[in-house]
Structures are given as C-alpha cells and as structure tokens.
Amino acid sequence: MKRDKRSAGTALVFGIGFAVFASLPFFLANAGINPLSNHRLRAINPDQAPGLGIGTLFLLSAVAAFAFYEDKPPADSSRARAQQAADPFSVKRRQPPTAFVRTPWPRVFAVGPVWAVCGVIAAFIWHAFAKDTGMPGTVWGDFTVSPVPAFALVCGLWAAANFSLALGAIADAFHRTLWVIFLIVSVLIVILAITTSVVASNILTMSPSAGLAVTAVCLIITTVALIPARLFAVARARVTNQIDATHEARLQSLLATLGPGENLILHFADRENPAGQILAATNRRLLLAAPTGTRAARPRQIHILDRAHPGQLRGASTAFRPTGHTTSVHFRNRPDMELVGGDPSAADTFAAALTSLATTGRLPQEEA
C-alpha cells in the first residue's frame, strides 16, 4: 500500500522535474547562450527562447509512455501476486518500459493534466523573464493577458501525453507475443515526440482562439484513443498473466517429481506453450520433462522423457533452425537433450548458465 501511495504522486514529481528541465534551454536561450554551438558560448537569438522551452515541454510530454519505467509489476496486479510465488530458478521476465499504462486508470489519466499544469506554470515564469514577450494577439503575446492561451497550452500538453500513452498501450499489448510490433511502435513514439516538439513551437504564434481550438480537438481525439488502447493492453496482460500462472503450475508439478534431497538449480521452458517440454538441472541430474495433460486450472503431472548424470554435462548452446529456436544440452558419450521454442534471450541465458555450471561448477551469479 505504501508503494501505491508513492506511485500516486509520481506524475506530479515527474511533471515538476520535466518543467524544471525544460526551463534550462529557455533561460539559456533567453540569456543568448548556445551551449550546443561549436564555439564557446556563441550567441543565440533570445527570440528563440519561448519556442525552445515549449518544444522541450511537448517533447517530454510526448514520451510519457516511457517516463515511469520500473522493472517491477504494478502493485497488487495479478502479475505481482504471481511473482510472489514465482519460480526462483529461472530468469525473471523484465517489465517493458511501457508497463505503466496497465496501472489503475486514475494514475494513467492523471499524467496529462498534471504535466500540462506544471508546464503552464513554468511558461508563466518564463514569460515574466522573457526578453521576447511575443506579438499581441498571439498565444505567447497574450499569455498573461487572457486565460485562453494558458488553456490552449494545457490542452496541447495534455493531448501530447495522452497520445504517447495510447501508443505506449499498443506497444505494451504486443511486447510478449509480437515483439517486432512493440519495437516499431516504441520507435514511432520517439519519432512523433521529436516531430511534436518541432511543430509545437508554432502554437505560440497562433491566435489564442485558434490555438485553443486546435489543441482542444487534439485532446478529445487522444483521450478517446487512450481509453480503448489501455483496455486492450490490460486485456492482453491478463492473457500473459494466465500463461505465466500456467507455467508456474507446470513448474510445481516438476518440483513434485524430485526425490528427497533433490533441488532444482535452474530450468528453461517455452512459457507460451502450456504443453511444452522443460529442460531442468538439479543437484543430481539433468532432465527433459513434459506435462501429461494440458489443463491449466491446476498443476498437471510431469513425465520425465530423458535424464542424464551431471558428470556427463559438457555445456549448452542455442541455434535457429528450420523447426524453430532450439536449445541443446550437450553431454559426453550420449545424445543431446533438445528443446524447440521459448524466448531466445532466456534460452541464451539458460545455455550460458548451464555451460558455466559444466565448466566451473558454479552458476554465473555465484561467480560474481
């Protein structure tokens, strides 16, 4: 519960931090300092300061989907409860950088307005110190004259954050099953963030009413898009959580087959396939096992397909073959054990750990 309360204020903390960060380019440009120039402190036109500050605010709002990355499941989620009793012998699956969109909806939908208000407060401070106060009749020129420019900026920043979170939800929904889509959408978020940053500075030269109309429409569209996108991500997360729970049931069945004094050291399986095989190493033997049924509601019986003595182990390797990604365990004076499928990166980690165990007698984390 304490973690939940702290998370509820994270949007405000990040919003203040980003507003302060965006103030750096504004005040540097407002002072005529260009730290990115090849020449030391080469002058920059202070007229560019408002555009740089606003552009930075929009850039940060447009990458909101990645801002709350934490390699832990959301508190009290089914994923978190599953990990409390999770497999201590395999590599933990990392949370994607977009996992924040699966947190309770008040936290997700609070990011946009909280960050927008922080950005507007920063803009008011900038305007008080700006050498270029803008042309009358524009958003920047009337910023302290009318509330309309402030509302236009609030809607724009809010819309940018919502759009980022909507795309982040789509990426998060596919991070387990279609990783390529996750990567493409993640890159798209970054590209659109840069584009939004460049285009957003133009809002300062628009009339307040036109600026408010444009940003209000963007806010409505992005908010409507965020609602189903987040629901989709949450629904997909439930499916993957069920897959993880089924794998844990399969693991418990494997543990039940071990003899007295026999301990599981590490294992690897295709988590996405409940009926898939398991490669396992214990302190007494190497095993290739498979469940005898496909029911996911409760642990199933495990059948040992092959076994070998630890003294026969030479190592392990992975390879892409026509049948699929294959993990092979190599032995002396006997055929290999092979498992087709599973996460390639997890397979590589398992193979490296098993090879370390064969050559040094220790797992990599024990050597560190």
Side-chain angles (χ1 to χ4, degrees):
M1 181 64 68
K2 291 181 179 179
R3 182 172 178 268
D4 288 354
K5 290 180 179 178
R6 186 173 69 249
S7 298
T10 303
L12 178 59
V13 173
F14 276 48
I16 294 174
F18 284 163
V20 172
F21 183 82
S23 298
L24 296 179
F26 171 82
F27 282 110
L28 286 173
N30 195 57
I33 300 174
N34 182 11
L36 300 180
S37 173
N38 293 328
H39 304 287
R40 183 178 300 177
L41 302 182
R42 183 176 179 179
I44 187 174
N45 191 340
D47 293 347
Q48 300 178 24
L52 287 173
I54 295 298
T56 304
L57 281 178
F58 272 88
L59 174 65
L60 297 174
S61 294
V63 295
F66 301 129
F68 300 90
Y69 175 64
E70 181 181 8
D71 189 23
K72 295 178 182 179
D76 294 331
S77 67
S78 56
R79 174 78 172 160
R81 291 191 295 270
Q83 282 197 2
Q84 290 177 0
D87 168 20
F89 311 104
S90 68
V91 178
K92 300 300 181 186
R93 187 178 297 277
R94 289 184 175 275
Q95 289 288 304
T98 53
F100 173 77
V101 298
R102 287 184 266 125
T103 59
W105 70 265
R107 297 182 194 167
V108 176
F109 286 89
V111 172
V114 170
W115 284 18
V117 170
C118 291
V120 168
I121 293 174
F124 272 111
I125 296 174
W126 300 347
H127 198 276
F129 291 92
K131 294 181 179 179
D132 175 22
T133 56
M135 293 290 294
T138 63
V139 169
W140 187 244
D142 292 353
F143 205 77
T144 57
V145 177
S146 167
V148 176
F151 282 117
L153 187 57
V154 165
C155 291
L157 292 172
W158 190 345
N162 282 358
F163 189 44
S164 176
L165 291 169
L167 291 177
I170 296 173
D172 188 79
F174 292 105
H175 84 278
R176 283 278 293 270
T177 54
L178 292 172
W179 187 81
V180 173
I181 293 181
F182 168 78
L183 181 61
I184 291 174
V185 177
S186 297
V187 173
L188 182 62
I189 293 174
V190 176
I191 294 174
L192 290 176
I194 297 174
T195 304
T196 300
S197 173
V198 174
V199 174
S201 59
N202 293 326
I203 194 177
L204 300 181
T205 59
M206 299 175 64
S207 68
S209 57
L212 179 59
V214 170
T215 56
V217 170
C218 292
L219 175 59
I220 293 172
I221 295 174
T222 55
T223 303
V224 171
L226 177 56
I227 295 173
R230 181 190 170 276
L231 291 176
F232 180 52
V234 171
R236 296 284 293 185
R238 291 195 185 102
V239 174
T240 55
N241 287 342
Q242 181 60 46
I243 291 173
D244 291 339
T246 301
H247 173 71
E248 302 306 333
R250 179 172 47 174
L251 176 65
Q252 293 303 317
S253 296
L254 175 64
L255 294 174
T257 66
L258 303 183
E262 186 176 13
N263 300 315
L264 185 62
I265 300 175
L266 71 160
H267 86 280
F268 173 70
D270 184 355
R271 300 177 71 101
E272 314 299 326
N273 179 13
Q277 298 176 348
I278 303 176
L279 283 171
T282 76
N283 58 332
R284 294 182 180 178
R285 53 184 171 165
L286 283 303
L287 301 173
L288 177 64
T292 57
T294 58
R295 295 186 64 184
R298 59 176 180 269
R300 297 146 294 165
Q301 286 188 329
I302 289 288
H303 177 61
I304 305 300
L305 304 176
D306 196 3
R307 70 192 74 197
H309 190 273
Q312 298 177 285
L313 180 65
R314 290 194 300 111
S317 64
T318 62
F320 284 97
R321 298 178 181 174
T323 54
H325 189 268
T326 303
T327 305
S328 303
V329 182
H330 311 296
F331 300 96
R332 300 179 182 88
N333 305 320
R334 58 147 292 153
D336 294 346
M337 292 182 186
E338 293 186 343
L339 186 150
V340 179
D343 180 76
S345 62
D348 292 341
T349 302
F350 171 81
L354 209 55
T355 300
S356 175
L357 190 64
T359 56
T360 67
R362 297 179 178 181
L363 296 174
Q365 60 266 30
E366 294 176 343
E367 295 177 343

